Amino acid sequence: ATANIGVVGLAVMGSNLARNLASREGNTVAVYNRTYARTEELLAEHPEAGFVASETIDDFVASLAKPRTAIIMVQAGAGTDAVIDQLVERFEPGDIIVDGGNANFHDTIAREQRIAPTGIHFVGAGISGGEEGALHGPSIMPGGSAESYETLGPILASIAAVAEGEPCVTHVGTDGAGHFVKMIHNGIEYADMQLIAEAYDLLRTVGGLQPAAIADVFAGWNEGPLESYLIEITAEVLRQVDPATGRPFVDIVLDQAGSKGTGVWTVQNALDLGVPVGGIGEAVFARAVSSKPAQRAAVQRIVNSRPTVQEAGTSFADDVAKALYASKVVAYAQGFDAIIAGAEKYGWDIHKDRIAKIWRGGCIIRAQFLNRIAEAYDENPDIATLLEAPYFAQAVADGEAAWRRVVATAALSGVPVPGFSSALSYYDSLAVKRLPAALVQGQRDFFGAHTYKRVDKPGTFHTLWSGDRAEVEVPGH
Ligand code: NBP
């Protein structure tokens, strides 16, 4: 038993994570994969890593020093369960099993409950940053027991991305908290990507710019408050020219966006918890709409003309930047609301400022912007919404007029901006003194006797709609 850490599953994520671990001082890394040929490949390609490789799971377990710690990086679902079962059979109390895959947090909670009686620690850890992150430094979101984090924390900190001198890892909370926060991260990622895509569409359709010019605009934005990994890579993608045709790469890509599910989970969970995450929801739906070629073709057959594009003013790109920033603030505010609601529902002590900090590096939504969020929650963890934090309140106020111009221009020009417009509507919904929800309450009381409350006195009321329409107070509410 010589290895202080093991990795099971040596596809792209697992082998990169194993190499990252092996590159750190003091680590000896045991590796195992169901199909041994894959292990042999890794050994041949990376002799420098000094892996302790095993052909069988028994040998793998025997190669781990106690307390044994193994990170599973296999396909989420049945594959993960199969490996967990194999390890649980062979591990002892105090040993640690980490699932680093993209598990649904409900599965993680169930697995933790199932394994806890054995005395083995089960840790669901969200790992963000894709292949590159796994190799050079991901953002890591571990759940599980605080005790397991004492052993695991330093190992994960050694391989995590570093942002402003701090490793991008923190003990997020118990059982499924890590995978939950990873799920929200991906939801926010969806919203951020959709907003950026809309900004591009506006600059192109309304602003009349070509992809290469828009790449320049984005590169410029990346020097300012919008600085982020996603803006940076968007500029790269827009600058790309298709070698086969010489056309902009973005023009030869089929405009049907795929998704792997975590964005959907975020919205499903938010629906369950009653958290409005319109920005994320619109992003998920926008991908779904894009992937309905038959419906799109059908509508395009009957809608033969599009509105005349409104003349964009000279400062249109600046307007779009401001609209993007304001919409982004909304999307992140909604994402953090979902974290707060999940923490309350599932009993996790999640530090929002720490989450913002571990997202500053390694992961897909890494950005300077997250420093501002960390500061906001650090200053006052109990703010009702990020939109209330002075910095963001000011930023949104500064961009508000531009935001409205952009959404209006988009509407008048027939450019779809579900992300921008839903974010603006969300902001307005929070901002107006009165919402027509009062009318919805009236409708609900009318057809379903669902009752309502009054603005002028406490109590719960119902109007006798099918009778004399007198109001009655409903006791016991
Ligand atoms: P895959 O998700 O493609 O899974 C392939 C691995 O799972 C192989 O090692 C395979 O072994 C193993 N496996 C399967 Br499939 N069924 C198994 C079973 N019943 N028993 C044992 N092993 C089994 O690998 P990946 O793309 O490296 O991702 C690993 C995890 O990391 C996934 O949960 C993924 O969602 C997550 N993740 C991926 C990314 C990314 O950018 N790709 C980012 C973040 C998280 P074999 O070689 O014997 O077939």
Side-chain angles (χ1 to χ4, degrees):
T2 50
N4 64 316
I5 179 89
V7 176
V8 180
L10 301 176
V12 54
M13 286 296 288
S15 50
N16 279 1
L17 204 70
R19 286 171 58 200
N20 187 350
L21 283 161
S23 73
R24 307 295 153 160
E25 201 63 41
N27 283 339
T28 305
V29 184
V31 290
Y32 169 75
N33 191 70
R34 178 180 61 176
T35 308
Y36 189 62
R38 215 193 271 265
T39 311
E40 285 180 312
E41 227 169 86
L42 178 66
L43 294 179
E45 280 168 16
H46 296 285
E48 80 287 352
F51 290 126
V52 179
S54 296
E55 204 168 339
T56 68
I57 190 87
D58 285 322
D59 290 347
F60 170 75
V61 172
S63 72
L64 291 169
K66 293 180 190 176
R68 303 180 184 91
T69 306
I71 304 179
I72 302 173
M73 290 304 288
V74 306
Q75 204 171 63
T80 299
D81 270 323
V83 175
I84 289 173
D85 289 345
Q86 290 177 322
L87 291 179
V88 167
E89 263 175 45
R90 293 163 176 84
F91 272 23
E92 291 168 7
D95 291 349
I96 303 168
I97 299 174
V98 183
D99 174 15
N102 269 340
N104 184 306
F105 79 97
H106 289 297
D107 292 342
T108 303
I109 292 176
R111 285 170 181 149
E112 211 263 349
Q113 275 172 1
R114 182 161 57 81
I115 294 166
T118 66
I120 298 166
H121 296 286
F122 180 72
V123 176
I127 301 183
S128 175
E131 303 170 27
E132 281 297 299
L135 184 57
H136 299 296
S139 173
I140 312 177
M141 294 150 254
S145 66
E147 197 189 334
S148 64
Y149 194 72
E150 282 172 27
T151 306
L152 198 56
I155 299 174
L156 298 181
S158 76
I159 57 162
V162 175
E164 307 197 5
E166 295 174 62
C168 293
V169 59
T170 188
H171 181 232
V172 174
T174 52
D175 55 63
H179 277 138
F180 176 83
V181 166
K182 171 67 181 0
M183 174 187 81
I184 304 291
H185 165 280
N186 285 27
I188 294 174
E189 177 187 311
Y190 270 59
D192 209 339
M193 291 168 68
Q194 174 64 20
L195 293 171
I196 293 171
E198 290 174 17
Y200 147 77
D201 198 5
L202 286 161
L203 291 177
R204 187 151 189 196
T205 310
V206 183
L209 297 179
Q210 289 304 302
I214 300 173
D216 292 340
V217 173
F218 278 29
W221 288 355
N222 202 36
E223 304 292 314
L226 284 167
E227 180 276 335
S228 66
Y229 171 72
L230 281 171
I231 290 276
E232 181 191 324
I233 63 161
T234 304
E236 299 285 321
V237 174
L238 287 173
R239 223 184 288 286
Q240 176 76 4
V241 174
D242 174 45
T245 60
R247 293 170 58 197
F249 165 82
V250 70
D251 288 350
I252 55 99
V253 175
L254 185 69
D255 61 344
Q256 296 179 18
S259 65
K260 275 193 181 165
T262 39
V264 177
W265 292 347
T266 304
V267 179
Q268 283 171 338
N269 182 259
L271 288 171
D272 288 342
L273 298 182
V275 189
V277 291
I280 300 169
E282 287 299 345
V284 172
F285 287 141
R287 292 193 190 184
V289 171
S290 79
S291 302
K292 298 271 181 281
Q295 292 184 331
R296 291 172 63 186
V299 173
Q300 285 163 28
R301 274 196 297 277
I302 47 172
V303 181
N304 316 316
S305 74
R306 307 292 299 132
T308 314
V309 169
Q310 304 288 306
E311 281 294 312
T314 45
S315 58
F316 185 62
D318 290 339
D319 273 7
V320 174
K322 285 180 179 150
L324 175 58
Y325 192 89
S327 303
K328 209 173 130 115
V329 173
V330 165
Y332 280 68
Q334 292 175 341
F336 274 85
D337 286 349
I339 290 178
I340 293 164
E344 195 168 311
K345 162 101 181 200
Y346 303 107
W348 298 320
D349 180 23
I350 296 183
H351 295 252
K352 296 164 293 248
D353 56 332
R354 288 189 207 160
I355 301 302
K357 280 185 185 162
I358 67 168
W359 287 351
R360 289 179 305 181
C363 64
I364 304 298
I365 63 172
R366 62 181 179 262
Q368 282 299 324
F369 182 76
L370 286 153
N371 274 316
R372 306 284 89 76
I373 297 179
E375 281 161 18
Y377 280 125
D378 193 35
E379 224 163 79
N380 182 0
D382 299 322
I383 44 175
T385 163
L386 270 181
L387 292 164
E388 179 195 2
Y391 180 87
F392 291 120
Q394 189 62 49
V396 172
D398 288 348
E400 186 182 334
W403 197 6
R404 294 191 190 287
R405 279 195 296 272
V406 167
V407 171
T409 303
L412 291 169
S413 305
V415 177
V417 287
F420 280 20
S421 58
S422 122
L424 181 57
S425 287
Y426 175 82
Y427 176 69
D428 284 334
S429 298
L430 295 179
V432 294
K433 294 270 186 285
R434 289 280 294 162
L435 285 170
L439 182 58
V440 173
Q441 284 295 81
Q443 294 161 336
R444 294 179 66 240
D445 191 58
F446 190 103
F447 66 69
H450 289 300
T451 74
Y452 52 89
K453 303 215 182 271
R454 297 179 56 97
V455 294
D456 53 358
K457 58 178 179 186
T460 300
F461 303 90
H462 168 58
T463 289
L464 301 168
W465 295 104
S466 46
D468 63 358
R469 307 215 161 172
E471 180 178 81
V472 293
E473 183 160 4
V474 184
H477 275 266

